[in-house]
Each structure stands twice: as C-alpha cells, then as structure tokens.
Amino acid sequence: MQKKVDEFNAMRGCHLEPMPVYARLLDIQSEMGELSKEYLKHSKYGTADFVMDDEFKLELGDALYSLLSLASEVNLDAEECLDMVLEKYRKRIAEKKSMGSNNS
C-alpha cells in the first residue's frame, strides 16, 4: 500500500517536499476525527447498529493515505512497523494473555 501512495504522490506532483511531521500528524488526527464522525453518524451516536457505507470506507482510506504518506516522508517502511507491533502484541498475549500494555 505504501508503494501505491508513493507512486500516486509522485505522479500527481503531491508532497514533493515532505510535510513537516507536526503537520502530517495533525492531518492524521483530523482524518481520524472524520472517520469517527462517520461512525457516530451511521450508528446514530452509538444508539443503533453501525451501518457500513462508502463514506466510512473513504474516510478510512483518507486516514490510511495520511499514515502511509507520513511513513514515506520520514523514511519508514510501514509494513516493517506493522510487523514490529504485531510481534510486540504476540509476546504480550503469550506472556499476559492481553495485547494491552497492562492488565488493568
């Protein structure tokens, strides 16, 4: 997925200069807020079953795009980061029967 984002950005001339990390992080936070808003809207603010629609999928895609762009801009391989965290979670589950950092 990261390669797709890199190719898209290069093709479109987007982000030829990396965004400052703080700006990318704020963008990611904004996209997560929009994703959350779609969830709330389509679950009637948690009072009804969530109904998936294309708007939710698009907002998730926006968040993924922003995260993958950040990874590229700071020279990280997103898949390697994911593999690292999955290994961390495997160890926690094996040791503590929980993915969380504590069992509270």
Side-chain angles (χ1 to χ4, degrees):
M1 286 193 296
Q2 187 171 354
K3 184 178 177 186
K4 282 184 185 180
V5 169
D6 291 347
E7 289 171 354
F8 176 82
N9 286 345
M11 178 186 72
R12 302 292 302 163
C14 299
H15 308 297
L16 296 177
E17 296 289 324
M19 286 178 73
V21 172
Y22 70 85
R24 180 56 73 193
L25 291 170
L26 289 170
D27 179 55
I28 292 166
Q29 187 65 36
S30 173
E31 294 301 345
M32 294 304 297
E34 291 177 24
L35 181 63
S36 298
K37 181 180 175 184
E38 285 300 315
Y39 176 82
L40 288 172
K41 187 167 72 174
H42 295 291
S43 70
K44 299 189 187 315
Y45 285 78
T47 63
D49 290 339
F50 173 70
V51 177
M52 178 71 62
D53 72 349
D54 285 343
E55 285 301 312
F56 186 84
K57 292 176 186 178
L58 286 169
E59 293 302 341
L60 180 62
D62 284 344
L64 284 169
Y65 169 82
S66 294
L67 281 167
L68 294 169
S69 289
L70 172 64
S72 291
E73 289 167 2
V74 297
N75 297 313
L76 289 175
D77 180 315
E79 188 167 0
E80 179 183 339
C81 294
L82 178 61
D83 289 343
M84 289 172 65
V85 80
L86 291 176
E87 181 58 27
K88 175 179 77 172
Y89 292 153
R90 281 186 198 99
K91 286 180 183 177
R92 284 182 181 171
I93 291 167
E95 294 169 6
K96 301 187 299 184
K97 307 293 186 240
S98 170
M99 287 176 41
S101 59
N102 59 37
N103 285 330
S104 38

